[in-house]
């Protein structure tokens, strides 16, 4: 169960805020010492922007938190609208009343100092904005007033409802006070409200049936731990990653958001020896969340052994090493984000969640990519009349033709036909480039990629005829050596295709993928010593595709 896994993980994290507290951005501290004097200290945080380090206003501190609608004050640390006059009706009165209740119950001098400050300074200072959250620092103790133990204990008891029913918690299995509403909301969820969104919402009337008033009884303490650890992961780049409209969380392993975003970090993770931690669960958890205003939608939750994670990641990196690997600066490992853009137009900003979900399951658990995404990649190849590095890697992750730069399997008849025809089209393009000294994308073969990759018979005879003309030009220019090399290559490919005839009138989606990989592989194939043009000799007249298919 997801909530049980989150609760177990929360017990291992020491950085989580206490009950009734949360991490919030505080604009400044007001230093009090019991006298009428005070000092306001604006807070700043260092943040990297490119290669520079800049200062941004505000700092995240652990302060009292409560889920509120309307006029509901937070203890001591709240926004200026509650602390000073001039805010909405009832806000300051609610804040002062909460302070008085805390003072009467604890008799803590620091709380009395905050009350005196509010009475002596009713008007907001000019250097504080209405929406700024303010915290108070007690000079005598050298800490935030809200961190003083007696105040913390009082707030924790105050924030728990006295009339909460007692029942068995679904998460812990123990009898405890049951949360009526989630006290903490999840923040930093793409698509969610800036104020936060709820993970569980079964307290509505729609869930009350058959006389059941509490559809999902979860104790207040378990509810707090689950939401605190989720917010902690969402704010921690080591544990979370955002791609498109989805937040991705990982726990149960040292592998996290940093490794998902940076392939070099992923390689370092795989190089570290695996040793199970007895304090951690042996299962790795992957959680994908999307926001919908005030609600959180769970897109995927997976639990798998870490050994499977390491094996799948190793294979995933190996399948990215296709022909052309490291031949250019851009031909290197691709991250999940870079691969998720492959099925779509380059300038398209929208990344579909199903694409990210499929790529994550493929990388982390070895699940095959769906054929619908392969169809999108092939369609982009046809529209753009060629294959890019990211799309070639994407197709190989599905086909698994190459691993660590080596061919991995024997192709069946239908797949071999498409693969060799892709190689043949690439050879036609290379022949015209050599004959006319033009860019590869300007050749007839490259311009015909979209049609040939789907209906191979349509342009086969015309392209074969053009290749013969270009070979004659090459023969005159280079003395015949380069022409003989291309003739031998054509003879090899035509012989391979002859064994697989007839050509299908239309390639299936899988055949289109093999065709694209054949085209890419031929363009980036490393020539062996025996294949060098200066040593190639034509011993027999090569059979052309025109001879195999017959002239019209």
């Amino acid at each position: 169960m997801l909530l049980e896994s989150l609760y177990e993980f929360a017990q291992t994290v020491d950085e989580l805020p206490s009950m009734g507290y949360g991490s919030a951005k505080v604009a400044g501290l007001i230093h009090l010492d019991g006298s009428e004097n005070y000092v306001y200290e604006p807070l700043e945080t260092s943040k990297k922007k490119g290669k520079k380090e800049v200062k941004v206003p505000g700092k995240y501190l652990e302060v009292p938190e409560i889920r509120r609608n309307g006029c509901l004050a937070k203890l001591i640390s709240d926004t200026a609208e509650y602390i000073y006059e001039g805010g909405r009706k009832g806000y300051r009165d609610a804040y002062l009343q909460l302070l008085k209740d805390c003072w009467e119950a604890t008799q803590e001098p620091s709380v009395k100092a905050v009350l005196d400050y509010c009475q002596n300074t009713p008007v907001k200072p000019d250097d504080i904005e209405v929406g700024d959250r303010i915290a108070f620092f007690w000079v005598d103790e050298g800490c935030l007033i809200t961190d003083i133990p007696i105040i913390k204990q009082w707030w924790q008891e105050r924030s728990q409802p006295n009339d909460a029913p007692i029942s068995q918690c679904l998460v812990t299995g123990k009898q405890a006070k049951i949360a009526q509403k989630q006290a903490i909301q999840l923040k930093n969820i793409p698509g969610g409200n800036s104020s936060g969104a709820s993970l569980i919402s079964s307290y509505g009337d729609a869930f009350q049936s058959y006389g059941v008033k509490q559809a999902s009884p979860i104790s207040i303490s378990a509810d707090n731990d689950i939401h605190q650890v989720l917010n902690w992961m969402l704010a921690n780049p080591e544990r979370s990653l955002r791609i498109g409209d989805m937040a991705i969380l990982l726990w149960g392993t040292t592998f996290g958001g940093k490794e998902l975003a940076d392939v070099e970090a992923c390689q370092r993770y795989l190089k570290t020896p695996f040793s199970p931690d007895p304090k951690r669960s042996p299962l790795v958890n992957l959680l994908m969340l999307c926001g919908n205003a005030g609600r959180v939608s769970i897109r995927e939750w997976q639990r798998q052994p870490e050994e499977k994670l390491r094996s799948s990641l190793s294979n995933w990196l190996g399948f990215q090493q296709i022909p052309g690997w490291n031949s250019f600066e851009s031909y290197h490992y691709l991250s999940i984000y870079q691969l998720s853009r492959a099925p779509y137009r380059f300038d398209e900003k929208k990344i579909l969640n199903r694409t990210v979900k499929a790529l994550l399951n493929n990388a982390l658990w070895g699940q095959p990519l769906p054929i619908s995404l392969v169809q999108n990649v092939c369609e982009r190849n046809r529209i753009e009349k060629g294959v890019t590095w990211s799309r070639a890697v994407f197709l190989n992750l599905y086909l698994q033709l190459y691993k660590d730069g080596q061919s991995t399997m024997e192709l069946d008849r239908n797949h071999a036909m498409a693969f060799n025809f892709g190689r043949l089209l690439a050879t036609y393009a290379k022949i015209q480039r050599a004959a006319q000294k033009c860019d590869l994308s300007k050749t007839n073969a490259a311009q015909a990629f979209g049609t040939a990759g789907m209906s191979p018979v349509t342009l086969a005879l015309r392209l074969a005829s053009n290749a013969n003309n270009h070979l004659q030009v090459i023969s005159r220019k280079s003395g015949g050596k380069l022409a003989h090399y291309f003739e031998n290559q054509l003879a090899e490919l035509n012989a391979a295709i002859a064994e697989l005839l007839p050509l299908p009138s239309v390639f299936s989606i899988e055949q289109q993928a093999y065709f694209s990989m054949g085209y890419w592989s031929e363009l980036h194939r490393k020539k062996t010593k025996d294949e060098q043009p200066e040593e190639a000799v034509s011993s027999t007249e090569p059979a052309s595709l025109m001879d195999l298919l017959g002239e019209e």
Side-chain angles (χ1 to χ4, degrees):
M1 183 178 177
L2 172 60
L3 298 181
E4 288 178 349
S5 179
L6 286 167
Y7 179 76
E8 290 172 2
F9 178 60
Q11 309 314 305
T12 66
V13 180
D14 298 328
E15 297 90 343
L16 296 184
S18 306
M19 174 80 73
Y21 282 67
S23 179
K25 190 175 183 180
V26 177
L29 296 179
I30 295 177
H31 294 254
L32 301 177
D33 57 4
S35 65
E36 294 184 359
N37 299 323
Y38 72 91
V39 176
Y40 177 70
E41 176 194 0
L43 297 179
E44 292 181 331
T45 305
S46 298
K47 185 178 180 181
K48 281 192 174 182
K49 192 174 183 180
K51 295 183 179 180
K52 296 182 179 179
E53 192 172 271
V54 297
K55 296 284 187 180
V56 294
K59 185 176 182 180
Y60 282 89
L61 300 176
E62 184 179 326
V63 289
E65 279 292 337
I66 191 171
R67 182 176 178 178
R68 63 184 178 190
N69 292 317
C71 180
L72 188 61
K74 299 175 183 178
L75 181 64
I76 299 176
S77 175
D78 210 330
T79 60
E81 189 175 20
Y82 277 86
I83 298 174
Y84 302 102
E85 292 179 350
R88 278 176 280 188
K89 184 178 180 181
Y91 276 31
R92 177 173 163 84
D93 293 338
Y95 178 79
L96 292 176
Q97 185 59 51
L98 184 62
L99 280 177
K100 291 175 183 177
D101 293 344
C102 182
W103 160 243
E104 291 174 0
T106 62
Q107 294 295 305
E108 171 60 38
S110 58
V111 180
K112 184 65 167 61
V114 177
L115 265 173
D116 293 341
Y117 168 81
C118 292
Q119 293 170 355
N120 297 332
T121 316
V123 180
K124 177 180 68 67
D126 294 337
D127 52 352
I128 297 178
E129 299 295 330
V130 173
D132 288 350
R133 183 154 187 178
I134 307 299
F136 289 86
F137 189 88
W138 188 235
V139 177
D140 293 352
E141 295 285 345
C143 66
L144 293 177
I145 296 178
T146 51
D147 286 343
I148 297 175
I150 190 173
I151 297 175
K152 182 175 287 190
Q153 181 181 356
W154 182 86
W155 173 247
Q156 290 173 347
E157 294 175 355
R158 172 72 175 242
S159 57
Q160 292 191 24
N162 295 325
D163 58 346
I166 296 178
S167 182
Q168 185 179 20
C169 175
L170 287 180
V171 177
T172 64
K174 299 178 181 179
Q175 295 286 326
K177 287 185 176 181
I178 301 302
Q180 298 300 290
K181 280 192 176 183
Q182 277 55 57
I184 302 172
Q185 292 191 301
L186 300 182
K187 298 183 179 180
N188 301 313
I189 298 283
N193 291 336
S194 58
S195 58
S198 298
L199 178 66
I200 304 169
S201 57
S202 61
Y203 49 78
D205 293 339
F207 299 94
Q208 297 180 6
S209 58
Y210 299 100
V212 176
K213 296 298 183 181
Q214 187 71 35
S216 57
I218 300 173
S219 66
I220 294 174
S221 59
D223 169 67
N224 177 80
D225 290 349
I226 290 168
H227 285 76
Q228 293 283 22
V229 79
L230 281 171
N231 276 326
W232 176 77
M233 286 192 286
L234 287 166
N236 187 351
E238 299 288 335
R239 291 286 175 185
S240 63
L241 177 69
R242 285 160 189 79
I243 301 179
D245 295 334
M246 191 147 55
I248 303 153
L249 308 179
L250 279 156
W251 69 93
T253 175
T254 56
F255 184 88
K258 182 179 180 182
E259 286 73 20
L260 278 176
D262 185 0
V263 181
E264 292 183 0
C266 178
Q267 289 178 285
R268 290 194 295 270
Y269 163 77
L270 291 175
K271 290 178 181 177
T272 57
F274 173 63
S275 57
D277 187 350
K279 296 182 180 180
R280 287 205 320 258
S281 169
L283 298 177
V284 177
N285 289 263
L286 169 70
L287 180 63
M288 306 180 198
L289 301 175
C290 291
N292 183 13
R295 296 289 177 263
V296 176
S297 171
I298 298 175
R299 305 292 296 186
E300 181 87 357
W301 175 52
Q302 289 265 12
R303 297 184 79 186
Q304 299 286 351
E306 187 164 0
E307 296 92 328
K308 184 173 183 179
L309 170 69
R310 285 174 168 266
S311 174
S312 299
L313 283 171
S314 179
N315 290 333
W316 181 66
L317 293 178
F319 289 135
Q320 292 200 37
Q321 296 185 30
I322 61 175
W325 170 256
N326 276 342
S327 57
F328 293 94
E329 185 179 352
S330 59
Y331 291 180
H332 50 66
Y333 288 121
L334 299 177
S335 66
I336 296 290
Y337 172 77
Q338 291 169 318
L339 286 169
S340 66
R341 301 200 64 83
Y344 309 108
R345 200 173 58 210
F346 178 75
D347 58 346
E348 189 172 351
K349 296 182 179 180
K350 181 73 173 178
I351 299 177
L352 297 182
N353 292 332
R354 66 184 180 92
T355 306
V356 181
K357 176 181 171 181
L359 284 167
L360 280 169
N361 286 329
N362 176 258
L364 302 183
W365 320 126
Q367 296 181 9
L369 294 170
I371 192 68
S372 58
L373 293 180
V374 176
Q375 183 178 10
N376 290 345
V377 172
C378 293
E379 184 178 353
R380 292 311 313 166
N381 289 339
R382 293 198 304 273
I383 293 172
E384 297 181 17
K385 300 177 181 178
V387 187
T388 63
W389 171 253
S390 61
R391 293 200 289 269
V393 170
F394 195 104
L395 290 176
N396 194 59
L397 289 173
Y398 173 78
L399 301 174
Q400 299 183 0
L401 274 175
Y402 298 96
K403 184 179 180 183
D404 300 325
Q406 303 296 324
S407 180
T408 59
M409 64 176 70
E410 292 288 335
L411 302 181
D412 62 26
R413 182 183 183 88
N414 292 329
H415 296 159
M417 167 66 76
F419 186 82
N420 285 323
F421 193 76
R423 288 186 59 198
L424 183 64
L425 188 71
T427 303
Y428 287 158
K430 291 194 293 185
I431 290 173
Q432 183 176 353
R433 179 176 61 181
Q436 299 180 351
K437 305 298 181 184
C438 61
D439 188 72
L440 189 73
S441 62
K442 304 297 183 182
T443 61
N444 296 332
Q447 292 296 313
F449 181 94
T451 303
M454 194 168 188
S455 305
V457 179
T458 307
L459 297 174
L461 295 175
R462 186 184 304 172
L463 292 172
S465 176
N466 290 339
N468 288 336
N469 297 332
H470 296 141
L471 282 172
Q472 294 176 13
V473 175
I474 295 174
S475 181
R476 291 195 301 268
K477 288 184 177 180
S478 62
K481 292 182 180 180
L482 184 59
H484 288 322
Y485 164 72
F486 282 126
E487 287 171 354
N488 285 344
Q489 192 171 355
L490 286 176
E492 174 195 342
L493 290 172
N494 288 328
I497 292 175
E499 298 178 358
L500 304 170
L501 288 177
L503 278 173
S505 57
V506 178
F507 279 151
S508 66
I509 297 174
E510 276 201 354
Q511 286 177 317
Q512 292 175 39
Y514 279 101
F515 169 84
S516 296
M517 284 305 299
Y519 184 84
W520 174 272
S521 301
E522 183 59 39
L523 291 180
H524 297 85
R525 182 170 64 95
K526 290 184 179 180
K527 301 181 184 66
T528 63
K529 185 176 181 180
D530 294 336
E531 291 179 317
Q532 297 303 321
E534 58 271 19
E535 296 186 11
V537 178
S538 178
S539 57
T540 58
E541 186 70 22
S544 69
L545 197 61
M546 295 175 62
D547 299 328
L548 296 175
L549 296 179
E551 296 189 32
E552 295 178 342

